Amino acid sequence: MEQKNSKSYGTALYTIITVFFFWGFLAASNGIFIPFCKTHFSLTQFESQLIDFTFYGGYFIGSLILYFASSASGVDILNKLGYKNGIILGLVLSAAGALLMIPAVNSGSFGFILSSFFVIALGFSLQQTAANPFVIVLGPPETGSNRLNFAGSINNIGALLGPVVVSVVLFGSANARTAAADVKISSINNLYYLLAGLFLAVALFFWVSKLPKVTSDEKIESSKKANTPLLVIFVAFLMILAADPLSKAIHLPGKAMHIPSQYFVYASLAIVLITLVSTIFAAKKNKEGWGAMQYPQLILGMIAIFTYVGTEVTIQSNMGSLLKTPEFGSFSESQIAPYISLYWGSLMIGRFAGSIGAFNLSKTTKYVLYIIIPFLAFGVVLLVNSLSGVDVSNLYIYGICVAVLVVAFFIGQQKPTRTVSVLGILGVIFMLIGLFTHGRVATFSFISGGLCCSIMWPSIFALSITGLGKYTSQGSAFLIMMILGGSIIPPLQGKIADGSNNFIPGMSGIHFSYIVPVLGFAYLAYFAWKVSRELLKQGIDLDHVQASGGH
């Protein structure tokens, strides 16, 4: 009986890992789909970034619905439903969104396409909320973080393959010169029929599998004061979608001019940040009713997760349009895939190297692996692109950036505070090099942002929930909500890209817009310094905080 259960749980783990693969595959594929939609529908850069807005916004809205529903009932609804059923429901919802994409593309309505993306993301939100704890219960608790690290690496493999596979499906090759206008609608239909079929197949497997029933009727700690900032952040989220309509509807006092739409986008970001920062001061005066938000490290971490996800996503989401400019090579939509794949592959390179510390190895062995693993992972990235027909010889020089990451790992020493600080500063340097150069140097500098983002998630997460005690679960839920950064920051960069650049002569708007990830990495470096001070005030020894998990 034990053997049968062990085999069943092992199969379940591999099945759940395929779900992690889907998240990475589809999220990374947006880097190809966004420039395609921009050309196909004649969109502005801001409008094209609404794909990320709806995709990552779906994560936020899904988490928010679960939070308020659970708060109203006093019971964690997902735990009561069961992780298995939660994943099945999420997969069916994502399959419905994938099938909706087919009439959406055929209709030629970009709004319909965004709605379909939103439904897919709602399903992903439910899957992610259920799958992470489910991975932990499928085996001994002491090895739970190792299983999450493994699942995270599979997520990165999906991210590596996504741009290549989607480019082949749409253009016939990952390096073809096919224009977006020449892509057949049937090719897009086939892609989403395939995805819907895979979602349903995995859901069916979960349904027939004998898995442990994990439920809980535990009462949720009251945190009524936390509801207000979450609702304000929700309004700020809606402002992005309403930016253009509001701009057309509202006039400046005493003038015939409309308020520029970018002001509403800037206001959205400002509202999110001001709301979270003000919460720190409000909770300091009276902690009662704030729940997990009474801890400064959590609020600082919420801003950091918001910034990190937004920075990670916006670098690649705007890269397609950047590479189409003359100073970056005038690439066609179909030639962008290897660079988007290299960006997401960079996260895989860093995460494989970051997982070395989870194993009980000698110091010498770890040092050797810190040098070897990143370059082996880089070789995998090159191999995947080569097999798709891409000439990867012009990517070899990127090995220099991988070598820089190896040095950064030795400096970080697997300590969350030092790691976030080093990678944050390195990210600022890479982005500034990209801003003040052009061509291959700038391209690879921006792509190196993926190396810097690679192990930010587990480090930020570990620091943010340290010391939360009974509020750890609630704090984790709030942190996952802050994936919202992937919804707000890319459109913000899109607005900057659409505007004329009057700051640096000769630099295009899309090139200048990469000032956004510069600021993002700068905050992450600040977060590492600030959160260490906050934790020291609480008597917490940072040397014993270990990074685990991944996103």
Side-chain angles (χ1 to χ4, degrees), residues 12-27:
L13 177 61
Y14 299 138
T15 305
I16 294 174
I17 286 173
T18 64
V19 178
F20 280 77
F21 178 90
F22 287 145
W23 302 338
F25 183 94
L26 209 59

Side-chain angles (χ1 to χ4, degrees), residues 1 32 57 70 91 110 135 142 152 189 193 211 221 263 304 318 328 362 373 378 380 391 414 429 443 500 532 536 543:
M1 189 70 171
I32 301 299
S70 297
L91 285 164
F110 185 58
V135 167
E142 61 270 20
N189 291 348
Y193 274 129
L211 303 175
E221 290 286 343
Y263 289 178
N318 288 281
F328 279 81
S362 69
I373 293 297
F378 179 45
V380 171
D391 178 8
Q414 284 290 297
I429 294 171
T443 299
S500 59
S532 66
L536 282 173
D543 288 339

